[in-house]
Amino acid sequence: MSSRKQSKAENRRARLEAELAAKRRRTKNLRLSLGMVGAVVLVVATVLGVNVFTSGGDQPTKAAADSTLVRADSHRLQTAKDGKVTLVEFLDFECESCRAHYPVVERLRKEYAGEITVVARYFPIPSHFNAQRAARAVESAAQQGEYEAMYEKMFETQTQWGEKRVPADATFRGFAEDLGLDMEKYDKAYDDPATLKRIQQDVTDGEKLGVQATPTFFLDGERLEAGSYEDFKGAIDAALEQ
């Protein structure tokens, strides 16, 4: 082979080797970039973890979900005669979106009284300073048969105590007095670890079902993505016709 041809071959080989090396560097950099993105996502999720729950594994089966959605001691705002259609809400009494949905749920209860069962489950978000306290107050009232009255009181007064970094225990105790509760029993229930355990059971069930924010609704075991009254009405009407 002439020296000129040999030189061309060597130059060609050198270019190919350079291109391969560059391709390897690009692949390596892409992997590093993806790794950094994943790390950033994880950090952000950790920072916002107070409002986000990660999945603990595979989603529950339909049968498991049904038994987790409504327990024997779940609070029913109303019960259908035939029990055919059930609307379940995981809520936070300090959540502004829950308060915005409150009149929608109340309207649905009136329109579908006797036709659908409506169940409310606790799901206080850790970043809401008084959310767990509010749930304890409602559960304490429930032990005296006044769940619904305290439930309504919380949403009607949310703007007075919500989004504040000051304990609202005294405010909630005042609500209990307004409802005429036995205050000795209320105080005992409010501070009882069993009350907090009852609330935590709802939270645990919600996490198993994939609840990550409030309010989260389920209609007959299926997550319901609805915002307006018309959205809810359409879904409920369809369920009643089945």
Side-chain angles (χ1 to χ4, degrees):
M1 178 182 295
S2 67
S3 60
R4 181 178 294 179
K5 289 183 177 179
Q6 184 176 359
S7 178
K8 288 182 177 180
E10 289 176 351
N11 289 337
R12 189 180 301 113
R13 184 165 53 251
R15 286 198 302 272
L16 290 173
E17 290 176 352
E19 290 174 0
L20 288 172
K23 185 179 291 186
R24 293 191 190 101
R25 286 195 298 272
R26 288 196 298 270
T27 301
K28 181 179 180 181
N29 290 337
L30 178 59
R31 289 173 179 169
L32 289 173
S33 297
L34 291 173
M36 291 176 66
V37 170
V40 170
V41 171
L42 180 60
V43 170
V44 172
T46 301
V47 171
L48 300 178
V50 292
N51 286 324
V52 177
F53 296 85
T54 57
S55 174
D58 295 335
Q59 291 298 311
T61 63
K62 182 67 163 58
D66 288 346
S67 63
T68 305
L69 268 171
V70 183
R71 293 182 176 272
D73 63 349
S74 293
H75 295 297
R76 293 161 174 79
L77 293 171
Q78 68 184 41
T79 303
K81 296 176 181 178
D82 57 10
K84 180 180 178 181
V85 176
T86 299
L87 178 68
V88 180
E89 178 186 7
F90 282 84
L91 59 84
D92 174 338
F93 291 108
E94 194 172 353
C95 167
E96 293 182 350
S97 184
C98 291
R99 179 169 62 85
H101 279 80
Y102 167 65
V104 174
V105 174
E106 291 300 289
R107 184 178 173 186
L108 291 170
R109 288 178 59 195
K110 291 179 180 178
E111 180 162 350
Y112 293 97
E115 295 184 80
I116 67 171
T117 297
V118 180
V119 180
R121 305 291 303 271
Y122 300 115
F123 202 84
I125 301 297
S127 61
H128 290 161
F129 191 79
N130 282 301
Q132 189 185 89
R133 290 179 173 86
R136 285 163 56 199
V138 174
E139 182 59 25
S140 298
Q143 293 180 27
Q144 296 189 46
E146 293 293 343
Y147 172 86
E148 186 173 346
M150 188 66 92
Y151 158 94
E152 294 174 350
K153 192 80 170 177
M154 288 299 174
F155 284 128
E156 291 169 357
T157 64
Q158 188 196 89
T159 56
Q160 299 174 23
W161 55 267
E163 298 299 322
K164 294 178 174 61
R165 309 299 294 180
V166 179
D169 308 81
T171 298
F172 298 153
R173 193 175 191 278
F175 295 165
E177 290 177 329
D178 292 342
L179 294 176
L181 300 184
D182 182 319
M183 296 312 298
E184 183 176 350
K185 291 181 179 179
Y186 171 87
D187 291 337
K188 183 178 180 180
Y190 189 78
D191 295 325
D192 191 344
T195 300
L196 189 57
K197 184 178 180 180
R198 166 66 183 79
I199 295 165
Q200 185 57 42
Q201 179 63 70
D202 278 10
V203 174
T204 299
D205 285 347
E207 291 177 2
K208 289 179 180 178
L209 292 163
V211 175
Q212 297 181 330
T214 54
T216 294
F217 293 91
F218 292 85
L219 184 64
D220 287 349
E222 299 293 336
R223 186 179 300 223
L224 178 61
E225 301 294 342
S228 68
Y229 171 79
E230 288 71 23
D231 292 337
F232 282 97
K233 180 175 172 57
I236 292 173
D237 286 343
L240 288 170
E241 291 174 0
Q242 292 180 2

